[in-house]
């Protein structure tokens, strides 16, 4: 694991050491005021045994956007990206080759100053830990479209990968699971009229031949995979619209047969097709179609990640 501490207004020497416990005091500020952010990334191995990262600079930039929002220091490129490359290179034998296999990478930062005064910490700990990963969301996924709970509100921290965003989602998701659904499609806090994200993923909706996705804003995470999916869709000649999507529009499209696909996108899952949804008393099962966008775009993305095709956009970074 990699560790680097921020004290006295500067970053100290970066250390890489065996994975193990870290020692903090009960008054460590992260426990009391929630200054904690993270990123999710993966390393992939190709048939020849070479290892690659996928768009690491984009994760670094977003990490620092999260840091600024939570009044935390920005992490230098040399610590985040170069440190990540060095760490993965040391443990590259843990990157397994095979469809859906990868090494999951978790950069994170916590407030590490001791004290219970309600103020930003004066000390921070940046770390990267890793774990071999298998395919995510193996079963079928059905969702509830939220009409009560919200993931984020205007002016909040929804666009940041703040730990608290995920903690706040667990209770509503548990309620959905009790009804037999695997995830929630979050709606806007003001009116619950517009869809925003699907669980921990960005959301895409296909109506007719057009692919729609909610725009990035201060409530919605600007996902690296989301941006990659949009580009892949455009590369395949698919019309993409980034705009607000009403729940009523989705239900109307379902009723008139125009709703073809709903899928989520994210680092862990890449793309997850949604098989059905419920909104209030309305339930709908998505049709099984040939040549669906989700399958084709996921295959195109994974071909780039596993070095099976040309990388026209310069996303792949060799270790």
């Amino acid at each position: 694991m990699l560790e680097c501490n921020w004290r006295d207004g500067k970053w100290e020497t970066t250390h890489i050491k065996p994975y193990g416990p870290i020692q903090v005091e009960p008054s460590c500020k992260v426990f009391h005021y929630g200054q904690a952010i993270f990123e999710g990334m993966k390393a992939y191995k190709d048939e020849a045994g070479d290892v690659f990262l996928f768009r690491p600079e984009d994760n670094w930039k977003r990490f620092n956007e999260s840091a600024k929002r939570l009044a935390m220091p920005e992490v230098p490129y040399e610590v985040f990206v170069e440190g990540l490359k060095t760490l993965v290179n040391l443990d590259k034998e843990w990157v397994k080759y095979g469809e859906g296999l990868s090494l999951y990478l978790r950069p994170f930062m916590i407030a590490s100053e001791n004290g219970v005064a309600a103020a930003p910490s004066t000390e921070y700990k940046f770390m990267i830990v890793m774990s071999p990963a298998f395919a995510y969301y193996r079963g079928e996924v059905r969702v509830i479209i939220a009409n009560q709970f919200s993931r984020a509100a205007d002016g909040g921290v929804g666009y940041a990968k703040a730990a608290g965003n995920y903690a706040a989602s667990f209770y509503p998701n548990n309620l959905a699971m009790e009804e037999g659904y695997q995830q929630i499609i979050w709606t806007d806090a003001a009116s619950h009229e517009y869809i925003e994200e699907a669980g921990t993923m960005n959301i895409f909706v296909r109506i007719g031949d057009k692919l729609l996705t909610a725009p990035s804003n201060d409530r919605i995470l600007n996902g690296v995979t989301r941006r990659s999916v949009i580009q892949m869709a455009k590369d395949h000649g698919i019309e993409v619209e980034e705009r607000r999507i009403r729940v009523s529009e989705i239900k109307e499209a379902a009723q008139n047969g125009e709703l073809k696909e709903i899928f989520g996108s994210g680092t862990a899952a890449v793309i997850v097709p949604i098989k059905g949804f419920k909104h209030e008393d309305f339930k709908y099962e998505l049709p099984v179609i040939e040549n669906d966008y989700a399958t084709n775009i996921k295959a195109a993305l994974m071909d780039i990640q596993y070095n099976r095709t040309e990388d026209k956009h310069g996303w792949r970074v060799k270790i």
Side-chain angles (χ1 to χ4, degrees):
M1 64 184 189
L2 179 147
E3 181 176 6
C4 189
N5 295 306
W6 191 85
R7 295 189 184 97
D8 299 322
K10 64 181 184 295
W11 289 99
E12 299 180 346
T13 303
T14 302
H15 297 280
I16 292 178
K17 54 190 177 183
Y19 179 89
I22 59 173
Q23 186 170 341
V24 293
E25 295 186 19
S27 60
C28 186
K29 279 198 171 183
V30 66
F31 299 140
H32 303 274
Y33 303 111
Q35 278 184 292
I37 60 173
F38 68 93
E39 278 293 323
M41 309 171 65
K42 285 182 176 180
Y44 305 88
K45 182 171 285 185
D46 69 6
E47 191 175 7
D50 291 323
V51 174
F52 300 86
L53 300 178
F54 184 72
R55 305 186 71 169
E57 288 195 19
D58 292 88
N59 290 95
W60 166 64
K61 291 174 182 176
R62 188 175 63 183
F63 189 86
N64 282 337
E65 289 175 5
S66 300
K68 283 187 285 186
R69 182 60 182 85
L70 271 73
M72 305 170 84
E74 294 183 44
V75 177
Y77 180 94
E78 293 74 18
V79 176
F80 190 106
V81 180
E82 295 301 333
L84 185 65
K85 291 177 181 178
T86 303
L87 181 63
V88 172
N89 188 53
L90 284 170
D91 266 350
K92 62 184 178 183
E93 293 305 313
W94 284 103
V95 188
K96 300 304 180 184
Y97 172 69
E99 193 74 9
L101 302 182
S102 61
L103 184 68
Y104 187 78
L105 315 171
R106 173 50 63 88
F108 66 97
M109 180 163 55
I110 61 171
S112 55
E113 179 191 4
N114 299 315
V116 293
S121 178
T122 62
E123 297 180 2
Y124 295 89
K125 185 181 293 293
F126 172 74
M127 300 188 71
I128 305 174
V129 295
M130 309 182 295
S131 174
F134 298 94
Y136 204 64
Y137 288 122
R138 294 183 181 181
E140 293 188 346
V141 175
R142 290 174 175 81
V143 300
I144 290 179
I145 299 178
N147 61 0
Q148 177 184 2
F149 297 103
S150 296
R151 178 187 173 275
D154 290 339
V157 297
Y159 70 93
K161 283 191 75 74
N165 287 345
Y166 297 81
S169 73
F170 294 157
Y171 173 66
N173 199 66
N174 284 346
L175 296 180
M177 292 176 69
E178 289 174 4
E179 291 191 50
Y181 294 85
Q182 287 71 47
Q183 277 292 355
I184 291 175
I185 290 182
W186 301 104
T187 49
D188 68 293
S191 67
H192 296 292
E193 292 181 12
Y194 299 91
I195 65 169
E196 300 209 319
E197 290 195 8
T200 58
M201 302 177 290
N202 292 117
I203 186 75
F204 288 85
V205 177
R206 177 184 173 185
I207 296 179
D209 291 331
K210 188 179 296 183
L211 193 61
L212 312 177
T213 188
S216 58
N217 53 39
D218 61 4
R219 300 184 308 276
I220 298 174
L221 188 72
N222 188 12
V224 175
T225 307
R226 171 189 177 273
R227 299 201 298 274
S228 305
V229 167
I230 291 171
Q231 187 60 59
M232 287 288 96
K234 291 178 178 178
D235 289 352
H236 284 75
I238 298 169
E239 183 180 357
V240 182
E241 282 189 11
E242 296 181 66
R243 63 169 175 84
R244 302 186 79 187
I245 308 166
R246 286 184 180 271
V247 177
S248 59
E249 180 182 1
I250 296 173
K251 292 165 72 173
E252 182 181 343
Q255 290 171 322
N256 65 26
E258 283 293 298
L259 181 63
K260 304 299 183 183
E261 297 179 68
I262 302 176
F263 57 87
S265 71
T267 298
V270 185
I271 287 178
V272 177
I274 292 171
K275 299 295 185 179
F277 71 87
K278 172 188 174 185
H279 179 253
E280 297 174 340
D281 295 329
F282 183 89
K283 294 182 179 180
Y284 185 76
E285 288 289 306
L286 274 294
V288 177
I289 59 176
E290 294 183 1
N291 200 31
D292 59 287
Y293 290 174
T295 300
N296 291 338
I297 293 172
K298 182 175 183 178
L301 264 180
M302 292 182 70
D303 281 346
I304 293 174
Q305 291 168 337
Y306 287 96
N307 193 29
R308 295 190 291 244
T309 190
E310 180 187 359
D311 178 14
K312 297 178 181 178
H313 302 290
W315 292 339
R316 200 166 49 221
V317 177
K318 187 176 180 179
I319 295 297

